[in-house]
Every structure is written in structure tokens, then in C-alpha cells.
Amino acid sequence: MSFDFSLLTTELAMFVLGLTTFVLGLVVPSGSRRGLGSFAVLGLLLVLGITVVNRSHQGELLNGMYLVDGYAAFFKILFLMAAILVIFGSFRYVDQHVGNHFEYYSTVIFATLGMVVMASAGDFITLYLGMELMTISFIILVAFRFIEGKSLEAGIKYLLLAAMSSAVTLYGLSLVYGATGTIIIGQVAQAVAGGGASPLLIVGLTMLVAGLGFKVAAVPFHMWSPDVYEGAPTPVTSFLAVGSKAASFAVLLRLFIGGLAELHGQWAMLVAVLAALSMLIGNLVAISQTNIKRMLAYSSIAQAGYILVGLVAATEAGIKGVMFYAFLYVFATVGAFTVVAAVYNKIHSDEIADYAGLVQRAPLAATVMLVCLLSMAGIPPLAGFVGKFYLFKTVVEGYMWLVYLGLIMSMVSVYYYLRVVLVMFRDDPKDPSPIELGSATTLTLFIALVTTIVLGIYPGPLAEVANMAAQSFFLH
């Protein structure tokens, strides 16, 4: 059996980059380790270029165990861009608050490699290995500031709940395997089409919803999210919010639409209820938050509810909506958390009240925060509005109540987002001294700002790319 290693160019390059970054951290003197971040960014940019150039080189490995298609290529590019922006925008934060722990950048790279494997997983074993590589890396990253109680507490909570969710997911996969007799997702679809919905399969399906619901922080599996987001280093929180969530949605689509589409009638309403609860509870609880990272955590829960709408549709348009929204969500979220990290460097506080007069102290940071929050709320002409439009139009027929709820909750989110904006633009600062951002942070914020505006005004090219990637999803 031939094995085309050229299909694994991205994965092999990521592995070599992660290992090289780790080894360099061991041999480079501690005073020179600041260059590791630049090395990691340059390496990831090279891997991103390789992935973009080879995106049309597609195929299957090991009889469908690993799928290299347009769908996987889209998510790989998304993961790499998220990792680059998170690392590049947090040099100063890492220098000040993570210290000389050289493992930081290599661990981020290995977490990204786990996401890349998840996007291409064509069977349960590969899927689980990729998910665990990502999860274990994030457990380390969340607890990286181990001398601080909150970070250590967040790491322990994430470890316990991630272990529980992994066990539930693995048991669900084993039940689906027991019911269908195969671990290949494409063959699961054929077995389900021929055999129908057995009780064993329904139980396995339910456990998969629960296990992966934890990964995307959907209600009622969201309990870890606010504490972990608050306690983790801010760049890690940012990457957790965009990378881990996007990778988990890539797996959800692959499993439920690629393998269990014949059971859509059994799981669609369950996912719709989870989407509704996530939108409802995420937005309502966010109103009372005074810590900006906790507020963004509950906002992230609500965003998971919006994205789940695309899974409910279980159509090519639904997949396109999820991919489009996940892409633009990267820039809005990374932009917001980069501002949070930059402000924390100066004032050592994440309380919303301490953002008073930010527009006077750091005009670019305040502007980027404004645009990113309004995009998350779905205000036109920003990218978030187009993303929600693509998602909700897929369920107009059959789930109109979900559309109404999404619109209402989007308006609710405007309230707590604008509360932050009012503090930044209306209130007087306690300390009028300017907040220095640094060139890397400034460039990251500028990229997030421009991309969020441009994708809202001119979404056509990205929508076309997402549409082509969604079409490739059904070619196996």
C-alpha cells in the first residue's frame, strides 16, 4: 500500500518546528530566549505558506483514516493564522508574565498541531489522538503561570473536566464503533444508512454531543469556561477561545454531518436546544460580569450557540456558515484579547472599571476593542453581521424560533459590550499616562481591525473559499 508523505507536509513541518523550538529553548541561554517567539512566528508563517500553496493537493491516507481535502485545508489555515496572531501580539505579555519558560512557544505549536490533526481525522483513533494532543498542550498552557493561584486553579479545573470530557467522548466513540463495526467516519455513514438507529448508536451519539459540547463550551457543559478563561495567561485564553473551539467544531461537523447525517432527525433538536441554551445563558450571565475576561468567556459561550446553528442545518450552506463565522471570529477574538493583554501589562487588572479612559491612554487599543466587540454583537457593516446572517439563514425553514432567539440575544449582547465601550470612551482615567503597545502588538491590532471591517464590507472572497471547502466535505 503506497503512502504519499507529500499529503502530510503541513503536519510534518509543524512537528519539526515544535521540536526545533523546544530544543532551541534548551540550548539557548535564558537571556536570549526572547528570540524564540520570533523564531516560532517565522516558522509558523513558513508552514502557513506551505499549507496555502499545497491546499489543492488533496487525497486520502490509510483507506480514509486521514483526509486531506479543502475542508481540512481551510481549518488548518485558520489554526495557523490564529497561532501566529496570538504569539505575535503577546511578545511583551509573555516576557513580563510567563518569564523564561522556554516551553511556552513549543507547547503552543504542538497545540496547533493537535488542531491540524483533528481537522483531517477520518477515523476515531486519529481524531482522539489529535484532540488529546491539543487538550494536554492547553492544560500545560493554562497553568503556565503556576506561581499564581488563579492560573494553577484554572489548570487543575481544566485538567479534571478535560479528562472527564475526553472519557465521555472516547466512550461515545466506542459505542458508535460497537453499533457500526467500523472506526472510519465514511464507513460509519454507510453502516448507519444500512442499519438505521439502534439504541446503542443513540447512546453513543448522545455521549459524543456531551463530550464535544465541553470542548466548544456549550451549555450545560460550559462550567469550566469562565474560571479557566480568567485564570489562564491572556494569550492562552485567546488561543483557547478561537483555536480549540474551531478545532472542536471541525470535528463536530466531520462526525455528525459526515458520519451520522442519516440520524439527523435524532440529534438535530438536541443540538438546537444546546444552541438555544448557550445563546440564552451566555448572553444573560455576561451582563453581570465585572471582569472583562469572564465577560468574554460568557460571550464565547454565546458565540458557540450561534455556530451550533450551522450544525443544526446539516447542509452545505450550514457548513459554509460555520467555517465563515469561525474564520472571522479569530480576528475579532484575538483583537479583543490582545487589547486585554496589553492593558494588563500596564495596570495589572482585568476589571472593566479599570478600562476607564482607555481611548485617551491607548486610542488604537480602544478603537480595536470597540470594533471587535461590535462585530461579535453582529452590528453591520462589520464581519460578525455577515457571519450571523450566513448561519441563521440556513435554519429559517424548520427552526425559525432559533433565528428569533439568536436575534434577540444578539441585541442583548449589545448592552454588555457597549458597557465596556462606555467605560473606555466616556469615563475619565484614574491614571492618564499612556499605555505603550509595542510594534508587534500594534501590528496585530491593526490586522484584526482591518480584517474585521473588510470582511464585513466585502465578504465575497472568503465566502467563496468557504463554499468551495464546504463542497469538498461531501466528496469522500
Side-chain angles (χ1 to χ4, degrees):
M1 181 174 60
S2 61
F3 192 93
D4 187 0
F5 280 99
S6 64
L7 292 172
L8 296 176
T9 307
T10 299
E11 290 79 356
L12 293 173
M14 286 287 293
F15 175 74
V16 171
L17 176 62
L19 201 59
T20 305
T21 307
F22 183 82
V23 172
L24 283 175
L26 287 172
V27 299
V28 171
S30 59
S32 305
R33 285 178 184 162
R34 294 185 64 177
L36 280 177
S38 300
F39 176 81
V41 168
L42 290 174
L44 287 170
L45 282 170
L46 178 61
V47 176
L48 176 61
I50 292 171
T51 306
V52 172
V53 170
N54 290 339
R55 68 187 185 279
S56 59
H57 183 41
Q58 301 175 12
E60 296 183 3
L61 295 172
L62 301 174
N63 297 321
M65 291 182 70
Y66 205 77
L67 307 174
V68 183
D69 53 11
Y71 172 82
F74 182 94
F75 275 105
K76 290 174 185 178
I77 292 169
L78 185 155
F79 303 147
L80 289 165
M81 291 181 71
I84 291 166
L85 288 172
V86 167
I87 294 176
F88 192 63
S90 61
F91 283 157
R92 183 170 293 188
Y93 182 97
V94 173
D95 287 341
Q96 292 185 16
H97 303 287
V98 177
N100 292 323
H101 301 295
F102 66 88
E103 307 93 340
Y104 175 80
Y105 293 111
S106 59
T107 307
V108 171
I109 293 170
F110 282 121
T112 311
L113 175 58
M115 299 173 196
V116 166
V117 172
M118 289 169 69
S120 282
D123 76 305
F124 296 163
I125 296 174
T126 308
L127 184 157
Y128 189 75
L129 288 174
M131 188 169 67
E132 287 308 289
L133 176 57
M134 178 191 75
T135 302
I136 293 170
S137 299
F138 270 121
I139 291 170
I140 297 169
L141 290 168
V142 167
F144 226 90
R145 296 173 65 185
F146 56 85
I147 58 173
E148 292 192 6
K150 279 190 176 181
S151 182
L152 197 57
E153 177 189 351
I156 293 171
K157 287 181 177 178
Y158 191 66
L159 169 63
L160 294 175
L161 290 169
M164 182 181 69
S165 75
S166 293
V168 172
T169 302
L170 185 59
Y171 198 58
L173 292 172
S174 67
L175 291 179
V176 173
Y177 166 66
T180 60
T182 180
I183 60 171
I184 308 294
I185 294 174
Q187 295 175 11
V188 168
Q190 298 173 9
V192 172
S198 65
L200 187 65
L201 190 57
I202 297 300
V203 174
L205 186 153
T206 306
M207 297 189 78
L208 287 177
V209 171
L212 293 171
F214 170 89
K215 300 297 182 185
V216 301
V219 176
F221 313 106
H222 69 292
M223 70 291 290
W224 62 275
S225 180
D227 291 340
V228 171
Y229 276 40
E230 181 183 4
T234 302
V236 175
T237 303
S238 176
F239 199 35
L240 191 63
V242 294
S244 174
K245 196 179 292 286
S248 301
F249 273 110
V251 166
L252 270 169
L253 293 176
R254 186 81 81 179
L255 268 178
F256 282 82
I257 301 180
L260 301 169
E262 291 291 329
L263 301 179
H264 181 255
Q266 278 73 31
W267 56 258
M269 184 53 70
L270 174 61
V271 175
V273 170
L274 293 184
L277 288 174
S278 300
M279 289 187 283
L280 193 66
I281 294 176
N283 282 308
L284 292 180
V285 179
I287 294 173
S288 62
Q289 302 305 310
T290 59
N291 182 290
I292 195 161
K293 289 172 76 174
R294 291 186 72 87
M295 187 209 77
L296 289 172
Y298 282 105
S299 166
S300 178
I301 293 167
Q303 302 295 330
Y306 301 137
I307 301 175
L308 281 172
V309 171
L311 178 60
V312 172
T315 60
E316 186 178 301
I319 295 173
K320 170 193 171 182
V322 170
M323 298 172 78
F324 185 92
Y325 197 87
F327 191 90
L328 61 91
Y329 183 64
V330 166
F331 293 93
T333 304
V334 170
F337 277 110
T338 301
V339 173
V340 173
V343 172
Y344 185 86
N345 285 339
K346 177 70 174 181
I347 66 176
H348 300 288
S349 172
D350 290 320
E351 293 299 310
I352 294 173
D354 292 326
Y355 280 64
L358 182 62
V359 69
Q360 300 175 35
R361 306 180 68 184
L364 176 62
T367 303
V368 171
M369 181 66 88
L370 167 66
V371 171
C372 291
L373 292 180
L374 292 182
S375 179
M376 290 184 204
I379 302 298
L382 301 175
F385 170 77
V386 183
K388 287 182 180 178
F389 175 76
Y390 283 150
L391 283 171
F392 285 113
K393 79 173 185 178
T394 63
V395 292
V396 168
E397 296 182 11
Y399 294 91
M400 195 65 191
W401 61 274
L402 205 53
V403 178
Y404 287 135
L405 181 63
L407 292 174
I408 293 169
M409 288 299 105
S410 293
M411 292 303 99
V412 170
S413 70
V414 173
Y415 171 76
Y416 61 81
Y417 288 141
L418 287 182
R419 191 159 54 88
V420 179
V421 173
L422 282 174
V423 171
M424 293 190 301
F425 285 82
R426 180 193 62 187
D427 297 349
D428 294 324
K430 298 176 183 177
D431 176 10
S433 62
I435 297 175
E436 296 181 5
L437 299 178
S439 55
T441 301
T442 299
L443 181 57
T444 303
L445 292 177
F446 185 75
I447 292 171
L449 176 68
V450 171
T451 306
T452 301
I453 295 173
V454 170
L455 287 180
I457 297 173
Y458 190 52
L462 177 60
E464 184 61 30
V465 171
N467 196 45
M468 292 173 61
Q471 290 173 359
S472 76
F473 183 91
F474 295 98
L475 297 179
H476 302 291

